[in-house]
């Protein structure tokens, strides 16, 4: 039996290798266009910045129309995550997923996984925490590979008179 208990505050003891859950099924179900668009896209208000018009006739069932709208919302969310990954790197995209997307999908998860969503979200800065870590340029020496740091470029020094 898998241990899904939470340890000390802020510590998760969940071990997926010991679990009997099928994680691929869970991932496929929450990242499907209907929940991704319906939960995350709606929470992000992507309808304000996108335009989608159903190709279905006006007398088509409302469920068919909303399915298309959720697919458009999901594609928008996926595009935003892709942009963040491309522009800011894997660390920032990872933080975006765990703090801005997964909390909206938490009700769709197995009850034993739901507390872990909060633990990881809080560990990564919370729902409103910064996505990219800002550090001083002098502290970039020796930074770990794959970390995303946004700092001002070093100022050019005035060249000495020749």
């Amino acid at each position: 039996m898998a241990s899904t208990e939470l340890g000390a505050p802020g510590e998760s003891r969940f071990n997926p290798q010991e679990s009997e859950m099928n994680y691929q099924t869970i991932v496929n179900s929450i990242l499907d266009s209907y929940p991704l668009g319906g939960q995350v896209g709606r929470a992000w208000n992507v309808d304000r910045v996108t335009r989608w018009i159903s190709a279905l006739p006006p007398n088509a069932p409302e469920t068919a129309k909303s399915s298309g709208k959720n697919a458009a919302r999901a594609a928008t969310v996926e595009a935003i995550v892709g942009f963040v990954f491309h522009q800011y790197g894997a660390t920032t995209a990872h933080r975006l997923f765990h703090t801005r997307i997964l909390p909206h999908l938490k009700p769709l998860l197995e009850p034993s996984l739901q507390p872990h969503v909060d633990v990881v979200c809080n560990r990564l800065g919370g729902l409103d925490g910064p996505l990219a870590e800002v550090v001083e340029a002098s502290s970039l020496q020796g930074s770990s590979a794959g970390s995303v740091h946004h700092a001002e470029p070093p100022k050019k020094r005035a060249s000495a008179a020749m």
Side-chain angles (χ1 to χ4, degrees), residues 46-112:
V46 297
D47 293 336
R48 292 185 334 182
V49 296
T50 58
R51 181 154 111 200
W52 179 82
I53 299 170
S54 175
L56 298 174
N59 60 350
E62 195 56 41
T63 56
K65 291 180 186 177
S66 69
S67 175
K69 189 169 204 139
N70 283 333
R73 286 180 186 141
T76 304
V77 171
E78 291 167 355
I80 292 168
V81 173
F83 167 78
V84 169
F85 179 82
H86 178 74
Q87 191 70 28
Y88 298 102
T91 303
T92 303
H94 178 260
R95 184 171 281 141
L96 171 75
F97 177 78
H98 284 285
T99 62
R100 305 307 198 277
I101 295 174
L102 197 54
H104 294 293
L105 301 172
K106 184 171 92 168
L108 306 175
L109 292 171
E110 297 283 329
S112 62

Side-chain angles (χ1 to χ4, degrees), residues 7 13 19 38 111 142 152 160:
R13 290 189 182 181
S19 176
E152 292 293 319

Side-chain angles (χ1 to χ4, degrees), residues 81-156:
V81 173
F83 167 78
V84 169
F85 179 82
H86 178 74
Q87 191 70 28
Y88 298 102
T91 303
T92 303
H94 178 260
R95 184 171 281 141
L96 171 75
F97 177 78
H98 284 285
T99 62
R100 305 307 198 277
I101 295 174
L102 197 54
H104 294 293
L105 301 172
K106 184 171 92 168
L108 306 175
L109 292 171
E110 297 283 329
S112 62
L113 296 176
Q114 292 178 3
H116 300 285
V117 172
D118 296 327
V119 169
V120 173
C121 179
N122 290 334
R123 187 179 295 155
L124 293 174
L127 298 171
D128 297 321
L131 292 176
E133 187 177 341
V134 179
V135 296
E136 294 297 320
S138 62
S139 68
L140 290 178
Q141 293 176 335
S143 65
S144 60
S147 296
V148 175
H149 300 287
H150 299 280
E152 292 293 319
K155 303 243 188 275
K156 291 187 178 181

